[in-house]
Amino acid sequence: MGAGLPVALASVIGMAVGVISLHGVQSPAGGPVPGDSETSLWEVVYPIAATNLPACLLLYTGVLTCGAGTLLSTFMLTTYIGATLTAAAANVGWLSAIGSIWIYAPLEFTGFALASYGGLLPLATAVTDAEGTGTSVPSWLRRYGDGMSRSLRFLLLSLLVVTVAAVVEAVVIRSRLGN
């Protein structure tokens, strides 16, 4: 549980910075919409997954950087999400912006949160004392390594959840286009 608070704090601060940074900014009308009538579902899924899966890997970098990579990338990702959501809301209104992502965004955010948690898990494991062992407390490095091996489950689960979210998002995009 110790890894959740820093991720939540970086997320809230990042989202606030993103929302504030583009408050009232509108993008030019007529931008490209992925997935015309000739585009297959997988051609829509691919660019979404090609963006979100590397984001999970970036969020997981805390495993190699004692948590710093995860906190920085969490802040950066939530700043981006806040800014793009604010820009979308400036163009179509908050209800329409939220209404267009409510089906898949919770899945994406869950996947991102799992990757962030996994990225901070080794550090959280290393700084907590071993509980319930009748033997000597393992070294900090040993506990960090144990956390790394456990964190891989969170990374794999995050990649799966984000992939499912990409498929759902592609279906939503195609259904809006009448495909």
Side-chain angles (χ1 to χ4, degrees):
M1 280 306 236
L5 183 60
V7 168
L9 187 58
S11 297
V12 169
I13 293 169
M15 185 69 76
V17 168
V19 167
I20 292 167
S21 68
L22 288 185
H23 180 71
V25 173
Q26 290 186 322
S27 64
V33 176
D36 62 19
S37 61
E38 301 296 318
T39 306
S40 75
L41 176 67
W42 301 114
E43 290 174 310
V44 179
V45 169
Y46 178 75
I48 297 167
T51 300
N52 292 344
L53 293 174
C56 283
L57 296 175
L58 186 62
L59 292 166
Y60 187 71
T61 60
V63 167
L64 300 175
T65 61
C66 288
T70 294
L71 292 176
L72 180 60
S73 59
T74 298
F75 174 79
M76 291 175 1
L77 178 64
T78 56
T79 299
Y80 174 76
I81 291 169
T84 56
L85 183 57
T86 299
N91 284 310
V92 299
W94 280 101
L95 287 178
S96 184
I98 299 294
S100 67
I101 65 169
W102 74 269
I103 295 173
Y104 59 85
L107 281 173
E108 283 181 357
F109 298 163
T110 298
F112 293 150
L114 287 166
S116 293
Y117 186 83
L120 289 179
L121 187 59
L123 181 62
T125 302
V127 297
T128 57
D129 292 330
E131 297 177 12
T133 61
T135 63
S136 64
V137 176
S139 72
W140 183 90
L141 191 55
R142 171 64 187 212
R143 290 191 311 264
Y144 195 91
D146 291 344
M148 286 178 79
S149 64
R150 290 194 342 225
S151 74
L152 284 173
R153 293 181 214 140
F154 288 96
L155 174 62
L156 295 175
L157 184 57
S158 76
L159 295 173
L160 175 65
V161 170
V162 166
T163 300
V164 169
V167 172
V168 172
E169 184 175 356
V171 168
V172 167
I173 289 169
R174 290 186 45 83
S175 71
R176 287 195 186 121
L177 296 172
N179 298 326

